[in-house]
């Protein structure tokens, strides 16, 4: 693999090999990351990247689009089938772009919007003051209940009725519990607001029916394609027929120019993979693996936010062990465990320090790891946190991880020297 690159640009070739090796040698527990298939990677690395195709299949602003039209139409049809949606727009370059287009399709700038507070599990594009969403709209954030650390339907209803927003965005980046989209959608619509769900994290679970389905209850649903969905890095919008025209218009020409046709082809491949029955088994493994992590960690001196998980992710309050998220992230990385520091609800630390770490099971589940490995890995995490980041414990865990990963080889073809 990569033989041209090795000759033309040895520095980039080297950086890529180092990264592939890092992915192989470390335990990837970042909840938003995954390992996409070789078929998806192949579709992404094709001359489809050369093609300008502003517009939509059958209605483009450039000639020569007949074959990329096939790819985009397949991606649209498969996304609609996968999510049981009236319409799909597969052009967003990212989840943020998808959210921006969705906001503009549903509301005008300046109106009231409610989204989950970033520091309580939300996302930048759900109303953070440093993001377009916080700049363009009057944001009223909702949060979690202080006791349960979960969204409380009564508190949520009271706030929606008090604020009377024009739009409420549901969804999260660091919320371990499932979302009752039916009940939340009813509250939002009863207050005369529009409902948008960002399912970037849980899209794979939603697709196979292992998380409550937002599509029937929301006006628009956005997602990324690379988290639990295990596709290429990118975005996706699903909507009801009535919003199709404005969603498409806001995506192009409203927010983007030429779509990334190689990525759209790769999205089509990922959706095809997700329609296969094996994908449901994979999503089930993600949940089983997260549950075993929860049980193992709870049996130790580890505090889980919201008491545990219904999804692929867990949020650990490392302040319970006298640590900051920053310290824990760095120490776990030294042991070859990759996680990210994360704010926890009502966090006293700054966002660059935090009191929490977020972990998730999609990537290791893709690698073939099952509950037995999760039990071991959660035990190692607990060992390190409980030891207060003792270097000898970190060293010993790292040694065992370097052995474990060899039983679950990742991207073996990519790691072979080009001459072999
Ligand atoms: N950065 C993503 C995450 O880690 O959840 C959200 O966009």
């Amino acid at each position: 693999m990569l033989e041209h690159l090795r000759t033309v640009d040895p520095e980039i070739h080297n950086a890529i090999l180092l990264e592939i090796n890092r992915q192989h040698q470390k335990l990837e527990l970042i909840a938003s990351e995954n390992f996409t298939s070789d078929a998806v990677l192949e579709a992404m690395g094709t001359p489809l990247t050369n093609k300008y195709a502003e517009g939509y299949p059958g209605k483009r602003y450039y000639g020569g689009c007949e074959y990329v039209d096939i790819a985009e139409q397949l991606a649209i049809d498969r996304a609609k089938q996968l999510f049981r949606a009236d319409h799909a727009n597969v052009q967003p370059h990212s989840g943020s772009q998808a959210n921006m287009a969705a906001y503009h399709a549903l509301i005008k700038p300046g109106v009231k919007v409610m989204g989950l507070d970033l520091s309580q599990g939300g996302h930048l594009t759900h109303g953070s003051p440093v993001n377009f969403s916080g700049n363009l709209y009057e944001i009223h954030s909702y949060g979690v209940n202080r006791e349960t650390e979960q969204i409380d339907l009564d508190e949520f209803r009271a706030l929606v009725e008090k604020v009377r927003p024009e739009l409420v965005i549901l969804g999260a980046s660091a919320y371990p519990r499932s979302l009752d989209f039916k009940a939340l959608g009813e509250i939002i619509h009863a207050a005369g607001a529009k409902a948008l769900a960002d399912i970037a994290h849980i899209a794979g679970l939603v697709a196979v029916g292992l998380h409550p389905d937002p599509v029937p209850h929301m006006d628009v649903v956005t997602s990324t394609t690379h988290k639990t969905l295990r596709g290429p890095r990118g975005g996706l919008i699903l909507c009801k027929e009535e919003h199709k025209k404005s969603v498409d218009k806001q995506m192009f020409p409203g927010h983007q120019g030429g779509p990334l046709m190689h990525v759209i082809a790769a999205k089509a491949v990922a959706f095809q993979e997700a329609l296969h029955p094996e994908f449901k088994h994979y999503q089930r493994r993600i949940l089983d693996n997260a549950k075993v992590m929860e049980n193992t960690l709870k049996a130790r001196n580890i505090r889980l936010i919201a008491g545990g998980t219904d999804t692929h992710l867990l949020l650990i309050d490392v302040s319970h062990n006298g640590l900051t998220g920053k310290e824990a992230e760095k120490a776990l990385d030294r042991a070859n465990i990759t996680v990210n520091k994360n704010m926890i609800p009502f966090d006293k630390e700054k966002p660059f320090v935090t009191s929490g770490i977020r972990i998730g099971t999609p990537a290791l589940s893709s690698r073939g790891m099952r509950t037995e490995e999760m039990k071991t890995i959660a035990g190692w995490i607990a060992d390190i946190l409980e030891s207060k980041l003792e270097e000898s414990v970190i060293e010993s865990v790292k040694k065992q991880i370097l052995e474990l990963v060899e039983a679950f080889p990742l991207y073996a073809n990519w790691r072979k020297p080009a001459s072999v």
Side-chain angles (χ1 to χ4, degrees):
M1 305 286 271
L2 303 174
E3 51 280 35
H4 296 101
L5 194 54
R6 187 169 65 154
T7 315
V8 173
D9 193 335
E11 288 164 294
I12 285 292
H13 177 260
N14 186 44
I16 291 172
L17 279 194
L18 287 171
E19 170 58 16
I20 296 171
N21 211 39
R22 185 195 67 80
Q23 292 186 15
H24 168 70
Q25 286 200 329
K26 296 199 171 187
L27 295 179
E28 185 54 74
L29 280 168
I30 292 182
S32 49
E33 295 189 12
N34 210 332
F35 302 122
T36 202
S37 71
D38 281 324
V40 166
L41 291 175
E42 278 178 11
M44 261 194 295
T46 58
L48 266 67
T49 190
N50 299 333
K51 191 69 198 101
Y52 259 123
E54 272 108 324
Y56 290 101
K59 209 173 163 207
R60 304 281 192 185
Y61 288 82
Y62 286 78
C65 288
E66 58 271 39
Y67 304 117
V68 291
D69 271 6
I70 296 173
E72 183 163 349
Q73 195 57 53
L74 281 170
I76 292 169
D77 293 344
R78 290 171 184 173
K80 282 166 63 177
Q81 189 187 344
L82 185 61
F83 290 100
R84 306 158 293 276
D86 292 350
H87 178 60
N89 186 309
V90 296
Q91 292 196 358
H93 301 334
S94 71
S96 295
Q97 302 261 270
N99 281 344
M100 201 172 192
Y103 276 99
H104 280 97
L106 292 170
I107 49 169
K108 297 257 175 282
V111 304
K112 291 182 194 170
V113 171
M114 279 178 58
L116 181 61
D117 196 305
L118 178 62
S119 66
Q120 302 208 5
H123 184 254
L124 275 175
T125 56
H126 298 189
S128 162
V130 296
N131 180 261
F132 82 88
S133 52
N135 284 317
L136 288 187
Y137 305 100
E138 183 184 321
I139 299 294
H140 296 260
S141 298
Y142 58 92
V144 296
N145 176 275
R146 198 175 265 275
E147 290 299 308
T148 62
E149 298 171 325
Q150 299 182 41
I151 292 169
D152 179 293
L153 284 184
D154 292 331
E155 288 175 9
F156 180 82
R157 182 185 296 103
L159 194 63
V160 173
E161 285 173 359
K162 184 173 149 215
V163 172
R164 291 267 155 195
E166 287 199 22
L167 176 74
V168 179
I169 180 163
L170 303 172
S173 287
Y175 184 72
R177 293 299 183 178
S178 63
L179 294 169
D180 184 346
F181 286 118
K182 183 169 186 290
L184 291 161
E186 277 168 8
I187 293 169
I188 295 165
H189 286 134
K194 295 209 172 80
L196 168 63
D198 174 348
I199 60 164
H201 265 263
I202 52 174
L205 298 168
V206 167
V208 301
L210 289 174
H211 185 287
D213 189 357
V215 174
H217 311 293
M218 298 290 121
D219 294 284
V220 176
V221 173
T222 59
S223 185
T224 54
T225 47
H226 50 272
K227 298 188 175 92
T228 47
L229 208 45
R230 204 166 63 181
R233 187 162 293 276
L236 168 70
I237 307 181
L238 306 161
C239 67
K240 301 233 185 307
E241 193 62 36
E242 64 191 280
H243 299 299
K244 170 181 171 167
K245 253 181 141 168
S246 49
V247 161
D248 282 354
K249 212 168 127 198
Q250 284 302 333
M251 198 66 254
F252 170 81
H255 291 80
Q256 288 182 180
L260 310 175
M261 296 316 302
H262 56 307
V263 177
I264 287 173
K267 287 176 187 174
V269 176
F271 299 151
Q272 170 91 313
E273 290 175 349
L275 283 163
H276 194 278
E278 161 51 26
F279 194 69
K280 184 161 186 173
H281 299 311
Y282 162 59
Q283 297 294 325
R284 168 59 64 201
R285 280 202 304 279
I286 291 178
L287 292 183
D288 291 347
N289 283 345
K291 218 11 115 184
V292 167
M293 284 231 163
E294 172 190 318
N295 292 337
T296 312
L297 292 167
K298 275 163 85 171
R300 304 282 297 265
N301 182 28
I302 303 293
R303 191 179 96 77
L304 296 180
I305 297 296
T309 182
D310 305 317
T311 63
H312 63 298
L313 80 80
L314 302 105
L315 204 51
I316 301 177
D317 173 6
V318 295
S319 73
H320 180 72
N321 305 95
L323 304 166
T324 66
K326 189 178 174 182
E327 290 165 341
E329 177 194 296
K330 281 202 154 79
L332 289 167
D333 191 61
R334 286 201 296 282
N336 276 24
I337 298 175
T338 313
V339 303
N340 64 281
K341 60 179 173 291
N342 213 100
M343 297 289 272
I344 59 171
F346 313 102
D347 207 321
K348 294 189 186 71
E349 299 287 353
K350 293 206 164 64
F352 213 71
V353 178
T354 81
S355 299
I357 54 168
R358 185 185 65 163
I359 62 178
T361 53
L364 293 188
S365 304
S366 288
R367 218 171 155 165
M369 294 191 189
R370 289 171 185 271
T371 50
E372 197 184 323
E373 286 78 35
M374 292 306 123
K375 213 171 161 181
T376 308
I377 294 165
W380 286 334
I381 292 172
D383 289 345
I384 291 172
L385 298 181
E386 284 180 357
S387 77
K388 298 223 185 314
L389 318 183
E390 169 65 47
E391 280 309 319
S392 61
V393 178
I394 292 171
E395 256 318 300
S396 145
V397 168
K398 180 177 176 177
K399 231 171 118 202
Q400 296 174 79
I401 287 175
L402 287 173
E403 276 169 30
L404 175 71
V405 295
E406 292 311 322
F408 296 89
L410 187 66
Y411 298 132
N413 289 339
W414 292 79
R415 287 183 289 114
K416 265 188 216 145
S419 55
V420 174

